[in-house]
Amino acid sequence: MQKKEQRKEQAFQLVVSAGEILLQSGAEIFRVEGTMKHMAKSLHIYSLETYIIANGIFATAEGEQNLMRAQIKEVSTGDTDLGKIEAVNTLSRDLEQNRCGLDEALARLESIRRMGDYPARLLIPAYGVGSGCFCYALCGSAADAAAAAIVGLILGIFFWLLRNWKNAKALKTILGSMLVTFLSLMLLNRGIGSDLNNIIIGGLMPMLPGVSFTNAIRDFVENDYVSGLVRLMDVLLTVVSMAVGVAVIWQLAVF
């Protein structure tokens, strides 16, 4: 009986940890709730009750002899990581289709948790390509797109160097937007590009919290007003920080 209870406890912790990884990786609230319930059912936990907000998970489950398990998880908000979200969803589907057991699921979840950031050789060029393409898509010239791509590459290197600043998102955003504006002015003064606005906008595009804004709206649609408001405030803070960084360099350039 004790071993059975221990296995139930491990299953419960697996479900809660999976929800924590999803939430920390930027998944929508309804996705977190649905995945947790699917995993719980696959692990024969039929009494799972959850209450999830943007930065916390409250979960309870009934055990043997009417014993109750409860878990409260404070979840720090992080950057959107679609790789981790997909990996947890794949694990959930494998559990549901009996393609893996509890021990394998625990090992896979721990591996997912340890997944690091994308390597620099992929992340930094992505900043450059994204900046250049967005600049061109927003009616910038080829020269403007090239300048924005250079700005994006340098921005990617800058953020890579500051990747360990986990709790300074607003400061990183302000510094990043200041760097984008300064580099755009420098390139334009050297004859690279012709429209300052297009170059700056292209350089800023990788910093825009588009996925977070979409998730906030989806939370509102799903009646998760608290989570939607938290995510929306995070989006507004990011946008304001970007505006502050651009304004500081712009004013310094004017004077």
Side-chain angles (χ1 to χ4, degrees):
M1 181 66 72
Q2 185 177 1
K3 184 177 181 180
K4 187 177 180 180
E5 279 297 310
Q6 184 179 6
R7 298 291 285 178
K8 287 288 187 182
E9 180 65 29
Q10 289 178 327
F12 179 66
Q13 291 297 330
L14 172 69
V15 171
V16 175
S17 296
E20 178 187 8
I21 292 173
L22 285 173
L23 194 59
Q24 193 170 37
S25 301
E28 308 93 323
I29 300 300
F30 72 89
R31 183 186 298 275
V32 179
E33 291 178 341
T35 302
M36 289 179 67
K37 290 185 182 297
H38 281 298
M39 294 180 72
K41 185 177 179 180
S42 302
L43 295 167
H44 307 293
I45 302 174
Y46 298 103
S47 55
L48 182 73
E49 296 292 338
T50 60
Y51 177 70
I52 301 172
I53 56 178
N55 58 347
I57 295 176
F58 306 81
T60 63
E62 186 176 343
E64 300 291 338
Q65 300 177 349
N66 295 324
L67 295 176
M68 296 297 294
R69 297 178 177 84
Q71 183 79 43
I72 299 175
K73 281 279 189 179
E74 180 183 3
V75 181
S76 59
T77 56
D79 296 329
T80 301
D81 192 330
L82 297 179
K84 287 186 177 181
I85 294 174
E86 175 59 27
V88 174
N89 286 337
T90 300
L91 175 59
S92 175
R93 288 192 293 270
D94 288 346
L95 277 172
E96 190 172 16
Q97 297 171 13
N98 296 319
R99 289 202 292 257
C100 72
L102 177 58
D103 292 330
E104 182 183 346
L106 288 168
R108 285 175 59 180
L109 191 68
E110 186 59 31
S111 177
I112 294 170
R113 188 188 296 277
R114 291 197 301 266
M115 286 173 61
D117 297 328
Y118 292 105
R121 67 179 184 275
L122 296 178
L123 187 63
I124 294 174
Y127 271 89
V129 172
S131 296
C133 290
F134 274 116
C135 178
Y136 192 76
L138 295 172
C139 300
S141 65
D144 293 337
I150 295 172
V151 172
L153 284 171
I154 298 175
L155 179 67
I157 296 172
F158 176 75
F159 279 149
W160 176 257
L161 295 175
L162 300 183
R163 63 189 180 279
N164 293 324
W165 289 24
K166 300 295 184 182
N167 298 319
K169 184 176 180 180
L171 179 59
K172 283 173 58 178
T173 304
I174 291 173
L175 293 176
S177 58
M178 290 174 65
L179 178 64
V180 167
T181 308
F182 174 76
L183 292 173
S184 299
L185 287 167
M186 293 292 292
L187 290 173
L188 188 67
N189 288 336
R190 281 162 175 73
I192 304 176
S194 58
D195 192 312
L196 180 62
N197 290 331
N198 287 334
I199 300 173
I200 292 177
I201 291 172
L204 292 175
M205 287 303 289
M207 299 169 59
L208 283 176
V211 175
S212 297
F213 179 73
T214 302
N215 287 345
I217 300 302
R218 294 186 72 173
D219 285 341
F220 279 118
V221 172
E222 294 290 331
N223 298 325
D224 293 314
Y225 300 119
V226 174
S227 298
L229 187 60
V230 171
R231 293 183 192 271
L232 189 59
M233 290 303 297
D234 183 63
V235 170
L236 289 175
L237 177 62
T238 301
V239 173
V240 170
S241 298
M242 292 171 62
V244 168
V246 173
V248 168
I249 298 300
W250 189 270
Q251 289 299 317
L252 290 176
V254 170
F255 292 105

